[in-house]
Amino acid sequence: MDRILAERGIDLAKRPEQADPAETVSALDLAQSRIPVRYQHAEAEHSEVRHWVRRVTSSCRPGPGGTPGIATGPSLLLAGPTGVGKTFAAYGAIRALLAGGVRLNWQAVTAADLYAAQRPRPAHDTEREFNTLARTPLLMVDDLGAAKASEWTEELTYRLVNYRYDRLLPTIFTTNLPIGELRTVLGDRVASRLAQMTDRVVLTGPDRRRQPTA
């Protein structure tokens, strides 16, 4: 945070009462350094994604200074083939919440990285890492179902989804899987919870990654 403030020319030595109102930094400004460069200008273009953003915002509770913060709310499942903009839409939703003034503690992870981080290795507390992800107020899980399935990955996915399902913690999932295949690939327990906890948005269109760039 200090680095971002300094880059914007804000004097870190000033007391709050001395600060210039023009030197304010929004939550979106601070979040930009955590958003991958490719998605730093992502927008919630789809009407159903914007509707989800409004639903989450309306469920926020006032925090310090009256700023709304996420407590509980619906989750979001973005489905569609490769390259239609699911990850773009997911980061667009996060940016829309931040731009709307929501105080947001969030994390993003791909399913493949989640499984890799949870594989046992010396001097590493994987359970602590799992709990940090499971408890974060807003979590984005990208490419759900893309990793090779096993009993271990199914159980880990179930633990994460069930924790957030029980506590009504908003989660954004993206998946290349057709909706009808979620149960086959992810298992009955996960698919059943996703069906109840998420607003589902199916994205269509050409593969954006194959489009010529200007």
Side-chain angles (χ1 to χ4, degrees):
M1 177 176 176
D2 288 352
R3 177 181 61 79
I4 297 172
L5 294 173
E7 288 175 353
R8 290 173 61 92
I10 297 176
D11 187 349
L12 304 179
K14 286 184 179 179
R15 296 190 302 273
E17 63 271 18
Q18 295 177 316
D20 185 337
E23 293 181 342
T24 57
V25 179
S26 70
L28 182 56
D29 291 328
L30 295 175
Q32 287 295 86
S33 65
R34 298 181 52 210
I35 296 175
V37 173
R38 186 173 298 279
Y39 303 108
Q40 287 190 352
H41 299 287
E43 297 181 1
E45 299 171 331
H46 198 288
S47 61
E48 293 180 66
V49 175
R50 293 196 299 271
H51 177 68
W52 177 82
V53 169
R54 290 192 294 270
R55 288 189 64 199
V56 172
T57 301
S58 68
S59 69
C60 289
R61 297 177 183 173
T67 305
I70 285 183
T72 60
S75 293
L76 178 66
L77 176 65
L78 298 166
T82 299
V84 294
K86 299 181 297 295
T87 306
F88 182 92
Y91 277 113
I94 292 171
R95 294 185 73 250
L97 288 168
L98 292 163
V102 175
R103 179 173 47 85
L104 196 56
N105 181 0
W106 62 278
Q107 293 196 59
V109 65
T110 66
D113 285 341
L114 167 66
Y115 302 141
Q118 286 298 298
R119 296 194 182 281
R121 51 199 188 277
H124 200 81
D125 190 345
T126 57
E127 191 66 18
R128 181 176 180 179
E129 285 192 3
F130 175 86
N131 287 331
T132 298
L133 279 179
R135 295 170 181 171
T136 192
L138 177 67
L139 176 64
M140 170 183 160
V141 181
D142 204 13
D143 279 339
L144 185 65
K148 184 176 180 180
S150 67
E151 289 186 6
W152 180 78
T153 60
E154 182 177 328
E155 188 64 27
L156 185 61
T157 304
Y158 167 74
R159 287 184 60 205
L160 180 64
V161 170
N162 186 64
Y163 186 96
R164 300 186 68 79
Y165 169 86
D166 285 347
R167 293 159 181 81
L168 301 178
L169 294 173
T171 312
I172 303 173
F173 301 96
T174 76
T175 183
N176 292 341
L177 295 173
I179 296 296
E181 294 183 17
L182 290 175
R183 191 172 300 274
T184 300
V185 177
L186 301 176
D188 289 341
R189 297 177 300 170
V190 171
S192 176
R193 284 160 176 78
L194 290 177
Q196 184 175 4
M197 71 191 283
T198 62
D199 292 349
R200 296 185 175 191
V201 180
V202 178
L203 301 180
T204 59
D207 186 338
R208 295 187 179 190
R209 299 187 183 104
R210 294 180 180 272
Q211 300 303 305
T213 57

